[in-house]
Amino acid sequence: AGAVMAATFLSTAQKEYDKLLADLSRSSAAKLKRAGDDAAQASSQAGQALSTVIAATAVAFVLGGVLSAVLSRGLVQRIGQLSADVNQLAAGDLARPLVAHGRDELGRLMGELEQVRQRLAQSLQAVQQASESVRVAAGEIAAGNADLSHRTERQAGNLQQTASSMEQLTGTVRQ
């Protein structure tokens, strides 16, 4: 009786063990399937993220290139204008004002060059005014010299007449 009972108990235990093993196997298989699905989903999301990063990088490079080209073109134009303005000043043209664009170093340089142009124009105007004053004064001096020369000639003529009259008077007195 004890052996039958032990066999029954062992048989029941074996059935419970097989049932637990089957449940464990199903649970493990389900968990492995979910883990596989999660890994596949993560891999898919990583691929999408990589594609997004590559696309964003490409867009950034394109925008950077366009922005660089636009900025370079604007800078080259401003430097070309500054060069033309410097050549204009070097040629002596002080009449046209130089327009400073921007608040960066190049804009400040253009503004400072305009100040130089203004000061040169003022200096040149002062020299022209002084030259005009010298010309007027020289004309007045020349006119005064001409008047003095004319008066001196008249005086010399009068003195010659007086000397001639004195000689006649002296000749008359001696006779």
Side-chain angles (χ1 to χ4, degrees):
V4 173
M5 194 169 171
T8 306
F9 178 72
L10 190 57
S11 171
T12 304
Q14 185 65 40
K15 287 180 189 176
E16 285 297 317
Y17 173 75
D18 288 341
K19 185 177 168 188
L20 281 175
L21 190 58
D23 286 345
L24 183 60
S25 184
R26 278 191 307 270
S27 174
S28 294
K31 286 184 181 183
L32 282 174
K33 183 179 181 321
R34 275 189 302 223
D37 291 347
D38 288 348
Q41 184 180 6
S43 177
S44 173
Q45 288 174 348
Q48 289 174 350
L50 181 60
S51 296
T52 302
V53 167
I54 290 172
T57 302
V59 168
F61 275 122
V62 168
L63 288 178
V66 168
L67 184 61
S68 176
V70 168
L71 290 176
S72 294
R73 182 175 176 215
L75 188 59
V76 167
Q77 286 176 343
R78 289 174 63 206
I79 289 173
Q81 181 61 49
L82 178 61
S83 177
D85 291 343
V86 168
N87 287 334
Q88 165 194 328
L89 288 178
D93 182 6
L94 301 176
R96 189 176 58 140
L98 309 178
V99 180
H101 300 285
R103 294 176 181 245
D104 59 358
E105 290 81 8
L106 193 56
R108 285 194 303 268
L109 180 62
M110 291 173 82
E112 291 164 0
L113 191 59
E114 169 59 13
Q115 290 176 355
V116 168
R117 184 203 65 82
Q118 289 174 1
R119 288 185 186 127
L120 282 173
Q122 290 169 353
S123 296
L124 185 61
Q125 186 177 18
V127 167
Q128 287 173 341
Q129 288 172 347
S131 174
E132 180 62 21
S133 296
V134 167
R135 187 190 66 75
V136 168
E140 290 173 355
I141 289 171
N145 284 344
D147 183 50
L148 179 62
S149 174
H150 180 66
R151 284 184 294 155
T152 301
E153 286 175 12
R154 227 179 26 215
Q155 287 293 329
N158 288 342
L159 188 57
Q160 194 174 20
Q161 280 180 351
T162 301
S164 180
S165 294
M166 290 291 277
E167 279 182 30
Q168 285 177 355
L169 186 61
T170 301
T172 304
V173 169
R174 280 191 191 158
Q175 286 179 354

